[in-house]
Amino acid sequence: MKIPFVDLNAQYHSIQKEINQTITKVLSETAFIGGTYVKEFEENFAGYIGVKHCIGCANGTDALQIAMKSLYIGKDDEVIVPANSFIATSEAVTAISAKVVFADVDKNKFTLDIKKLEEKITPKTKAIIAVHLYGMPAEMDEILFLAKKHKLYVIEDAAQAHGALYKGKNIGTLGDLACFSFYPGKNLGAYGDAGAIVTNNPDLAQFCRKYANHGRISKYDHDMEGVNSRLDGLQAAILNVKLKYLHAWTEKRIQNANYYKRKLNADKYGYTLVPENVKHVYHLFVVQVANRKKVLENLASKEIAAGIHYPIALPLLKAYSHLDHKRSDFPNSSFLMDRVLSLPLYPELTASQMDYVIEYLEKYS
Ligand SMILES: *Cc1c(COP(=O)(O)O)cnc(C)c1O
């Protein structure tokens, strides 16, 4: 049985008619940049997250940069990011000329380890980027407590966590700003690149909107230099259609993750145990295995596509070799990078497909 890692085709087929009609409509109206579809999506997504402002932009990486710009973070400022994330999180910090400071993650939750985080705070620290990795909310109470104590901003990297809840509160409403990605494979995915910044702060929202559109206040009047990072009309219209299904898709993801969990031993496979009042939205279902290379090879021989998120902890990437970090600086992230394995998980996955994955995972691990 061939099991892909994600099945974007199955999802497209389930809403094909509606999507195709929408695309045709946008083309016939030539609503390519800005316009009603973008506005509509921004309003709908703000409503979905429960925030006052949503600013669409070109992708999730830009969203992070624009959010930090709105806080006037830049040269000589330090921003703390988790050592286990996708490079976009740290890349955005460097892109706005600030200094990336990595902090280790918790071995069981995969998100920022609060003790390690506090050790990294210096007088130069300006912000913490809390990544809700794999769809699991970071420990926001503790992060917000530290931020308040040290007068730091908190930016949520919610690129993998659309619709997640932390102690009953929506992810995306807890930091000063939150950033989303709508990369096709994300829980809410466009058919190209797209992203958004959300916030309840009107001044930050106004800055982000202006900065993302050339610092423009009217067509050829510019308050400042900005960037060109706009959500386009086609992607916005597609996202508007898909947003209606996001809740149902998320519930299917959770059901499927729970299916894996019922059948796979928690101690053996080291997946995250989710507290009662937290909603993990399972962008990824990540287990830990000691003999990963062998397991991956064997799964591949059965046409089961698994992934690794991420095979090299950020501080140990060649991109950051100038920081001279060693594995022992980030023991948990270093431990995890050799062991994590992401199993296929998406709303359309069936029980028999999961049984097949489980059968061969258990056989080889
Ligand atoms: C995908 C992702 C991003 C970046 O989003 P893009 O839209 O691909 O630029 C940032 N952070 C995390 C954790 C991500 O998974």
Side-chain angles (χ1 to χ4, degrees), residues 58-62 64 85-86 88-89 131 133 157 159-160 180-183 186 193-195 283 310:
N59 54 67
T61 313
D62 279 6
L64 288 165
S85 184
F86 177 57
T89 314
V131 182
L133 199 72
D157 181 339
Q160 303 186 359
F180 287 88
S181 164
F182 307 116
Y183 177 80
K186 296 289 159 82
D193 277 312
H283 174 57
Y310 295 90

Side-chain angles (χ1 to χ4, degrees), residues 48 162-165 187 245-259 279-282 345-348:
Y48 177 80
H162 318 68
L165 296 176
N187 288 22
Y245 301 97
L246 181 58
H247 180 76
W249 287 335
T250 302
E251 295 306 309
K252 286 292 291 178
R253 281 181 185 274
I254 295 169
Q255 269 175 29
N256 288 346
N258 287 338
Y259 191 89
K279 185 173 182 176
H280 185 326
V281 292
Y282 294 101
L345 184 98
Y346 37 91
E348 299 80 9

Side-chain angles (χ1 to χ4, degrees), residues 56-76:
C57 64
N59 54 67
T61 313
D62 279 6
L64 288 165
Q65 291 179 31
I66 295 162
M68 284 188 277
K69 274 284 180 185
S70 79
L71 299 169
Y72 291 91
I73 297 170
K75 208 172 165 301
D76 299 325

Side-chain angles (χ1 to χ4, degrees), residues 71 73 78 80 117-118 120-128 143-155 176:
L71 299 169
I73 297 170
E78 293 177 2
I80 303 176
L117 171 61
E118 185 157 30
K120 299 286 179 169
I121 297 172
T122 75
K124 289 187 169 178
T125 309
K126 261 288 196 59
I128 300 163
I143 291 170
L144 291 168
F145 175 83
L146 280 182
K148 196 164 180 197
K149 181 169 149 193
H150 296 276
K151 297 196 166 62
L152 310 175
Y153 295 116
V154 174
I155 296 162
D176 293 284

Side-chain angles (χ1 to χ4, degrees), residues 28-46:
S28 66
E29 294 172 19
T30 63
F32 299 135
I33 299 286
T36 51
Y37 297 99
V38 174
K39 191 159 180 287
E40 202 183 323
F41 175 69
E42 289 177 339
E43 284 170 9
N44 291 341
F45 195 67

